[in-house]
Amino acid sequence: MTEPKAPKIEFPCDYVIKVIGNAAPDFTEFVVEVVEQHAPGISETDITVNDSSKGRFSSVQLKIVATGERQLKALFEDLKASGRVHMVL
């Protein structure tokens, strides 16, 4: 019996990422700056920000146009390498 393969993503496509980190006044701006380096052209309407119930964490959800796996991998690595990001989904 073979294992089912993950569905293949067809690029380019709209792709939603969620970035979670410690809440800070500039966290959203920081996330948008990093994402813009890999996927320029993000509009304000493509960004959603939520704070945790105690205000310690912030999540920034963005819709980007993904061009390929290499782009997404580099984007995720840059966000995680910053030290400010706990998780990228």
Side-chain angles (χ1 to χ4, degrees):
M1 190 172 182
T2 60
E3 288 188 37
K5 291 185 178 179
K8 197 161 173 80
I9 299 172
E10 296 209 11
F11 296 103
C13 64
D14 285 347
Y15 193 88
V16 176
I17 63 168
K18 188 173 191 175
V19 183
I20 301 167
N22 289 337
D26 66 337
F27 184 70
T28 301
E29 184 180 323
F30 160 76
V31 170
V32 171
E33 276 181 23
V34 174
V35 172
E36 278 275 342
Q37 293 172 13
H38 298 276
I42 297 168
S43 130
E44 289 288 322
T45 59
D46 294 334
I47 302 168
T48 306
V49 180
N50 291 303
D51 292 323
S52 64
S53 58
K54 294 185 180 174
R56 290 184 52 216
F57 301 101
S58 192
S59 74
V60 181
Q61 185 171 303
L62 307 98
K63 184 171 72 173
I64 65 168
V65 175
T67 57
E69 288 181 30
R70 187 178 300 155
Q71 172 208 34
L72 293 175
K73 187 173 193 260
L75 170 57
F76 285 28
E77 286 174 358
D78 281 359
L79 286 166
K80 289 179 184 175
S82 71
R84 298 186 65 181
V85 173
H86 294 291
M87 202 178 308
V88 181
L89 307 170

